[in-house]
Structure formats: C-alpha cells, structure tokens
C-alpha cells in the first residue's frame, strides 16, 4: 500500500473512532429527514409534467447554456419565477450549492470583506474561501455583533474602499431559526453593503403563497433592496437546481462572469418544464403550509414537555440536541427500526450532535405522536450507556 492510501486509511480509522463515519443509506420508512417540505416530489401532476417534457425534448441538455444547452423553456421558467418572487431577473444553475458558491466567488475578490453568520451553509463558506475574500464571522443571529464588525471595517480610508457583503440564510437549515430580516436590511443600507439572502429552506413554507421568509417579514421596498436572493428547486419545489434572483444587470453579470455557470452543462430541459408546473402547485398549497407548521408546533411542544433538548427553532426544522455522536447515532438507528426515518447530524456539519427532524406536509398528527412515543421509549429503555 502506498503512503497515500496508508494516510487515507489512518484518516478513516480516526473518523470511525470518533463516531463521525458517514455512508449513503437507501430511504425507508416515514420521511422525517428530507427537504421535500410540501411533498411535491411525489405529486402525480408534477410527475406527468416531467414525463411530457421528456417526450418533447432531448433527455440531456447536451452542453452549457452559452453553447447549445439553452432552451426557450429555461427562459420561460426564469421569467415565471422572477414574477413570483418580485425580482427583475433570475438565473438557474445546477443546485443550491452552486448558486451560493458561484455567486459569492463571482461578486468577491481579495479586497472584499464578507460578513457571514457563523452557522451559514457550507456552500456560502466555500464560496468565500474560493473567492479569496476577507471573511468576518459574526455570532449566530447576533446582529449587534455584526454591526460591531461593520463599524470596525469602516475605520480608516483603506478599509472604506473595500466592497462589503453581508450573507445570511433566512431560515437556518440545521437549527430552524431565523435572523431579524428588517435589521439585516437596515444594516445593509446604513453601511452601504451588498446583501445576499439564502431563502432555500423558507421558500414554499413561509410568506404569501410560500414566497419565502422575506415576504413574511419585509415590506416590498425592503425586499427590493436585497441584492441577491438564493432559492432552490431541490426542496419545496420537489425537483433539483438552484436559482439566483437579482436585477437584470446582476443576471447579465453572472452569465458573463460566473464560472460554475459558464463551464457547466445545463440541467435537463424537462426540469424547467416541471418547475413551472411545480410553482403553480406550490402557490396554491396554503392548507399544506398551515398543516406543516401545525404539526411542527405539536412536535416541538411535545419534545419540550417530555424534557428533550430542542434548539430554539421557529419552523418545520426541529433539531433534537444530543450529548454525543454515539447517542445521536443510537437514537437514529432505533427510530429507523420502527420505520421512522430520522437521521443523525454530527460535527463538522453542526457544532452539536443532533437528530434533525425535518417535517413535510404529508406527515400526519398520528405520525408525530408515534415519533414522540418512540423517542420516549428509546430514552427510557436505557439500552445504551452514554
């Protein structure tokens, strides 16, 4: 065995010893872990729209969009989406990771200062890293700390000349909590920064017709002042892809400068046709949104009542905090034996091991009671010594 593979083997042994080993598992049981928040990935009308699109188009796009991969249906989708979220223009890319990563890399350079919530998604942090920008962490949801950082950044003429960008999720994917969006917008205006808001996990669930957290918390003028909003087709829309909503000038700039767009083969054309159908379904799923947040309240209150440690979530994402990686894995395995697909999330993805319960609108109240009963049974069974 070469030195390279010996080093890899040693690293993998260390990962296993720390209970951080990961592997892909086939999905089984009731879905308590995906991001298919409205259950649209299984919707028969969406499946039919995708099937019909396949019959009328090539299966693959065959090239990048700037070569031969572009289709009229792609423009139709982006125009439809832009109208829905009140943006001048939008650009669709392979997935949400590429959207964040590519955007931040495109609008930043080594003289840019990026102020990022400490718990922002890896796609945001990797975009900052690859751009070479100066990274400034602020404590999770602590906008006083953010303002302190901004104040320090404007001291001195040299730092004044640097572009400043604030990046935050509107609903945090692992904690289910959110920032004060009005304050974020106010800070953006006060300190003349660019503001990037990732709406991936709030879209479809919050705001008028599921338009996202910005539409739940902000005025139209405040929404329009956000420079870039990131969405995804891979969560509430039940498909795959990422989409950046911005100005017409901003889209034109990304088309010309965003390397992960320019040099990537375009997504399947059928995705865009299906996305138009999915959006039409999503905007009319008000009852599903009400039900989803209702069962989230039931589960959250039940967990607290029975003494489980729950992160301060306000949403359908409910993290049950665990004392160790081993404990999180044990609970997950026991729940999956009962047909309840709950996954353990461990460092470095999150600072604290947890069960991330991610609810969707197809789950019933009886499923919530079953999950609670099994969590209590596992804890009281004392089958493991943690």
């Amino acid at each position: 065995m070469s030195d390279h593979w010996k080093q890899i083997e040693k690293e993998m042994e260390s990962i296993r010893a720390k209970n951080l080993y990961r592997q892909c598992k086939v999905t089984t049981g009731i879905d308590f872990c995906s991001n298919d928040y409205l259950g649209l990935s299984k919707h028969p009308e969406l499946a039919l729209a995708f099937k019909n699109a396949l019959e009328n188009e090539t299966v693959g796009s065959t090239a990048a969009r700037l070569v031969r991969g572009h289709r009229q249906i792609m423009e139709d989708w982006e125009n439809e989406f832009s109208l829905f979220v009140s943006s001048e223009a939008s650009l669709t890319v392979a997935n949400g990771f590429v959207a964040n990563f590519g955007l931040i890399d495109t609008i930043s350079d080594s003289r840019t200062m990026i102020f990022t919530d400490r718990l922002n998604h890896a796609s945001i942090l990797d975009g900052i890293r690859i751009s070479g920008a100066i990274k400034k962490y602020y404590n999770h949801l602590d906008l006083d700390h953010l303002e302190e950082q901004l104040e320090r950044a404007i001291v001195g003429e040299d730092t004044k000349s640097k572009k400043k960008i604030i990046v935050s999720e509107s609903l945090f994917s692992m904690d289910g909590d959110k920032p004060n969006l009005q304050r974020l917008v106010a800070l953006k205006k006060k300190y003349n920064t660019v503001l990037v808001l990732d709406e991936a996990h709030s879209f479809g669930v919050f705001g008028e017709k599921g338009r996202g957290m910005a539409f739940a918390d902000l005025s139209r003028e405040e929404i329009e002042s956000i420079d870039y909003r990131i969405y995804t087709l891979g969560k509430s829309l039940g498909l795959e892809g990422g989409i950046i909503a911005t100005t017409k000038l901003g889209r034109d700039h990304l088309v010309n400068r965003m390397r992960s767009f320019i040099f990537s083969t375009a997504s399947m054309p059928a995705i865009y046709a299906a996305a138009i159908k999915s959006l039409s379904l999503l905007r009319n799923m008000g009852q599903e949104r009400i039900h989803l947040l209702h069962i989230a309240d039931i589960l959250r209150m039940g967990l607290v009542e029975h003494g489980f440690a729950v992160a301060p979530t306000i949403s359908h994402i409910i993290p049950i905090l665990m004392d160790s990686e081993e404990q999180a894995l044990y609970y997950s395995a026991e729940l999956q034996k009962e047909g309840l697909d709950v996954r353990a999330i461990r460092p470095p993805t999150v600072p604290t091991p947890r069960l991330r319960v991610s609810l969707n609108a197809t789950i019933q109240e009886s499923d919530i009671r079953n999950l609670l009963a099994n969590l209590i049974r596992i804890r009281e069974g004392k089958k493991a010594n943690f």
Side-chain angles (χ1 to χ4, degrees):
M1 184 182 291
S2 69
D3 289 344
H4 167 74
W5 291 112
K6 287 178 182 177
Q7 183 179 351
I8 296 296
E9 184 177 54
K10 184 177 180 180
E11 184 177 345
M12 293 306 299
E13 288 172 356
S14 174
I15 288 171
R16 289 187 176 91
K18 295 174 182 176
N19 287 305
L20 298 178
Y21 181 70
R22 291 163 171 79
Q23 55 186 327
C24 298
K25 295 181 180 180
V26 176
T27 58
T28 58
I30 298 172
D31 175 12
F32 282 104
C33 63
S34 83
N35 300 319
D36 185 19
Y37 299 134
L38 297 176
L40 278 172
S41 72
K42 300 179 285 290
H43 199 289
E45 291 184 42
L46 184 56
L48 181 60
F50 186 80
K51 179 182 177 182
N52 290 340
L54 282 175
E55 291 175 352
N56 295 316
E57 258 292 358
T58 56
V59 175
S61 66
T62 75
R65 283 178 68 179
L66 290 175
V67 183
R68 193 180 167 84
H70 187 64
R71 305 287 193 282
Q72 182 60 47
I73 192 65
M74 298 175 179
E75 289 188 23
D76 294 343
W77 153 248
E78 289 171 345
N79 291 336
E80 187 79 14
F81 187 81
S82 297
L83 285 172
F84 187 63
V85 299
S86 300
S87 67
E88 286 186 7
S90 299
L91 182 67
T92 309
V93 294
N95 53 55
F97 196 105
V98 169
N100 275 327
F101 180 93
L103 168 67
I104 293 170
D105 181 39
T106 304
I107 63 174
S108 310
D109 59 27
S110 61
R111 289 184 55 77
T112 304
M113 301 182 76
I114 301 184
F115 301 83
T116 174
D117 188 295
R118 191 167 291 278
L119 296 187
N120 272 338
H121 192 265
S123 58
I124 294 170
L125 302 182
D126 281 1
I128 298 171
R129 177 179 55 82
I130 199 69
S131 73
I134 303 164
K135 178 167 56 182
K136 298 288 185 181
Y137 281 120
Y138 62 90
N139 297 331
H140 182 50
L141 302 184
D142 187 347
L143 301 191
D144 288 335
H145 187 219
L146 170 59
E147 184 157 22
E148 290 173 11
Q149 299 265 29
L150 289 164
E151 285 280 4
R152 285 198 292 269
I154 64 173
V155 175
E157 284 300 317
D158 183 56
T159 53
K160 277 186 180 179
S161 65
K162 288 186 172 73
K163 179 193 289 186
K164 296 179 287 295
I165 301 174
I166 299 172
V167 191
S168 178
E169 299 179 43
S170 67
L171 184 70
F172 281 82
S173 60
M174 290 295 146
D175 292 82
D177 52 6
K178 70 183 185 72
N180 181 331
L181 294 186
Q182 288 185 322
R183 177 89 186 277
L184 265 182
V185 170
L187 290 173
K188 171 254 189 323
K189 293 179 178 179
K190 180 177 179 180
Y191 294 96
N192 189 30
T193 76
V194 174
L195 178 57
V196 178
L197 188 68
D198 184 342
E199 288 266 47
H201 291 271
S202 70
F203 183 74
V205 179
F206 292 94
E208 179 193 9
K209 296 186 180 297
R211 286 180 167 95
M213 197 66 77
F215 283 84
D217 290 2
L218 301 175
S219 68
R220 185 59 58 90
E221 185 274 331
E222 288 171 321
I223 292 169
E224 290 174 353
S225 71
I226 301 170
D227 300 280
Y228 302 92
R229 284 174 279 148
I230 310 300
Y231 300 86
T232 175
L233 287 74
K235 297 177 174 58
S236 286
L237 285 168
L239 294 162
E240 64 178 41
I243 188 161
I244 303 166
T246 184
T247 63
K248 290 178 181 177
L249 177 61
R251 183 188 187 278
D252 193 37
H253 177 239
L254 293 173
V255 167
N256 281 272
R257 300 293 290 176
M258 184 170 163
R259 292 172 62 83
S260 56
F261 170 79
I262 295 168
F263 297 107
S264 290
T265 299
S267 301
M268 299 172 64
I271 291 288
Y272 295 84
I276 293 173
K277 180 61 179 181
S278 185
L279 188 63
S280 72
L281 293 168
L282 178 147
R283 70 174 75 211
N284 294 311
M285 298 182 78
Q287 289 303 312
E288 286 82 357
R289 284 186 275 276
I290 291 170
H291 171 72
L292 176 55
L293 295 177
H294 174 63
I295 60 173
D297 287 340
I298 292 174
L299 178 57
R300 190 183 305 110
M301 290 186 291
L303 289 167
V304 172
E305 178 184 347
H306 290 285
F308 287 93
V310 181
T313 173
I314 53 87
S315 72
H316 51 291
I317 300 168
I318 302 176
I320 307 172
L321 304 180
M322 295 281 153
D323 294 331
S324 66
E325 291 82 0
E326 183 184 4
Q327 188 182 49
L329 289 167
Y330 177 75
Y331 268 83
S332 176
E334 290 296 305
L335 289 168
Q336 288 180 33
K337 289 177 185 177
E338 300 300 320
L340 305 170
D341 194 4
V342 178
R343 303 295 175 99
I345 308 294
R346 295 156 286 160
T349 306
V350 291
T352 306
R354 66 195 61 192
L355 300 176
R356 177 186 182 265
V357 180
S358 182
L359 300 175
N360 67 75
T362 69
I363 293 171
Q364 302 303 310
E365 288 188 34
S366 58
D367 300 322
I368 298 295
R369 290 193 291 271
N370 186 22
L371 175 60
L372 273 169
N374 275 283
L375 285 165
I376 294 165
R377 176 189 60 78
I378 294 166
R379 182 180 61 186
E380 294 180 351
K382 297 180 180 178
K383 294 180 179 178
N385 180 21
F386 296 112

